[in-house]
Amino acid sequence: MATLYQYSDAGAPALTYTTTVGGLAHFTAFKTVLKACLVSGYSGKDAAGWELIAEGASHLVLRPGSHSGYVCFTFGSNTVTIYLAATFLGMNGDVIAGDGLKTGLSAGNSPPQRIGIMWFVRSASIGSWRVVADDRTMVFVGTGYSQGYDMEVGGLAGQFIIPLYVGEDSRGN
């Protein structure tokens, strides 16, 4: 059964906020949230059952508890690229090496799709996150603050949403 993890839970990871746009601080916070929810758990919430396989300043590799593959989150240029692989053979820099390595492509087979992470921990008053996960699937939704940019969510100018789904389909793929 899936568990809801959220920034307002007692014992949820405390994040360090910065007014700097972009940079590793935002990716570090993203990794902190994923590891707490998926791998280690926190006060009052058991982990979803995933394994930490590899971690560096600019990458995080996790494996779902069902052992159906590996997911690699790689930071670069204020974005995170998500790679999937059937096996883990190590790292090529900050990208996983493994059988069946792939990442989603944007329209027209352009470079891999990425999620923006550059404003994730810019404002404690607006920034938040939620993760719904079990041992096979996780959905991450983060919000951030991008003052000066033309974005609006729910009437709050400057707020944006980071949605991410990683998991298996009904056949275990």
Side-chain angles (χ1 to χ4, degrees):
M1 182 168 78
T3 300
L4 171 65
Y5 306 87
Q6 56 189 349
Y7 73 102
S8 59
D9 288 340
L15 303 179
T16 302
Y17 290 85
T18 176
T19 57
T20 303
V21 174
L24 276 175
H26 298 274
F27 183 63
T28 299
F30 175 73
K31 291 190 309 181
T32 298
V33 168
L34 291 186
K35 290 185 304 182
C37 299
L38 302 177
V39 178
S40 61
Y42 54 85
S43 180
K45 298 269 181 147
D46 291 333
W50 293 49
E51 299 171 49
L52 174 63
I53 303 300
E55 181 177 8
S58 297
H59 71 270
L60 178 67
V61 179
L62 300 172
R63 185 178 191 192
S66 61
H67 295 174
S68 58
Y70 298 83
V71 59
C72 175
F73 303 95
T74 301
F75 176 77
S77 302
N78 299 321
T79 62
V80 176
T81 303
I82 296 91
Y83 296 93
L84 302 174
T87 62
F88 178 78
L89 302 174
M91 299 297 295
N92 285 329
D94 288 318
V95 176
I96 187 175
D99 295 329
L101 179 65
K102 61 184 152 191
T103 187
L105 297 177
S106 298
N109 290 327
S110 58
Q113 287 188 327
R114 296 177 171 98
I115 60 168
I117 199 78
M118 61 193 288
W119 295 299
F120 180 47
V121 288
R122 186 150 183 236
S123 170
S125 63
I126 292 180
S128 66
W129 57 267
R130 288 172 180 79
V131 174
V132 177
D134 61 17
D135 67 336
R136 299 167 17 130
T137 302
M138 75 93 177
V139 177
F140 167 87
V141 178
T143 61
Y145 182 62
S146 58
Q147 183 178 14
Y149 291 84
D150 191 18
M151 298 179 198
E152 185 173 321
V153 175
L156 296 172
Q159 190 173 19
F160 75 100
I161 296 176
I162 308 164
L164 175 64
Y165 167 90
V166 175
E168 296 180 8
D169 63 18
S170 61
R171 294 180 293 179
N173 296 312

